[in-house]
Amino acid sequence: MKRTLLLVAVLSASQAALAAGSADKGKTAFAKHGCWQCHGFAGQGGVAGPKLAPDPMPLEAMSAFVRNTRGGMPPYQKAILSDADLADIHAYLQSLPKARDYKSIPLLNP
Ligand code: HEC
C-alpha cells in the first residue's frame, strides 16, 4: 500500500514537471543542447538523426525516449537537460509549421 502511494506521488510529480513549455525558449534550448547537430535546426532530420518535426511525438513519449535511449542517440539525463528545457524543446518542435501542399504552389504546377 505504501509503495502504491509512493508510486502515485512520483507519477504525479513527474507529470507536473512535464508542463507545457515555451517555443521561443525551446528554440534556444534545441541549439544549446546540440539537438540540431543530428536532427537539423528545424528538426527536419539530418545525416545522423531522424525527422522530429512537424508533428512531434507527445511530450511524455519524447521525454521517455530522450532519457532512456541506448541506440544511436546518447541519453540526456535531467542534470544535463532539465524537464523544463525538454518541455520547451517540445513546444518549439510543435510550433514548426507543416510543409504546404505542393498543389497550392503555382510554380510546381505548370
Ligand atoms: C549524436 C546525434 C544526436 C543528437 C545530438 C541528438 N539526437 Fe535525437 N536521435 C539521434 C538518432 C541517431 C536517433 C534515432 C535513434 C534510435 O531510433 O535509436 C534519434 C532519435 C530521437 C528521437 C526519437 C525520434 C523518433 O521518431 O523515434 C527524439 C524524440 C530525439 N532524438 C530527440 C532529440 C533531442 C530533443 C535532442 C537534444 C536534446 C537530440 N535528440 C539530440 C541522434 C541524435
Side-chain angles (χ1 to χ4, degrees):
M1 182 63 193
K2 246 188 200 163
R3 223 185 274 165
T4 315
L5 281 178
L6 181 66
L7 185 64
V8 168
V10 168
L11 283 178
S12 38
S14 65
Q15 295 235 307
L18 293 180
S22 137
D24 262 4
K25 285 199 235 156
K27 189 174 181 179
T28 310
F30 194 77
K32 184 179 124 196
H33 290 288
C35 314
W36 62 272
Q37 293 175 11
C38 298
H39 294 286
F41 272 109
Q44 76 273 26
V47 183
K51 176 170 90 69
L52 302 178
D55 267 341
M57 61 175 70
L59 177 55
E60 287 72 20
M62 183 175 276
S63 172
F65 179 88
V66 167
R67 303 270 181 235
N68 302 303
T69 171
R70 287 160 192 254
M73 176 174 151
Y76 286 69
Q77 305 303 337
K78 279 189 198 191
I80 305 286
L81 173 67
S82 68
D83 278 336
D85 276 5
L86 192 56
D88 289 343
I89 287 175
H90 187 264
Y92 167 60
L93 294 172
Q94 223 167 16
S95 76
L96 294 167
K98 289 195 173 73
R100 277 171 63 187
D101 184 342
Y102 77 92
K103 288 183 192 130
S104 70
I105 303 172
L107 201 59
L108 299 179
N109 293 279

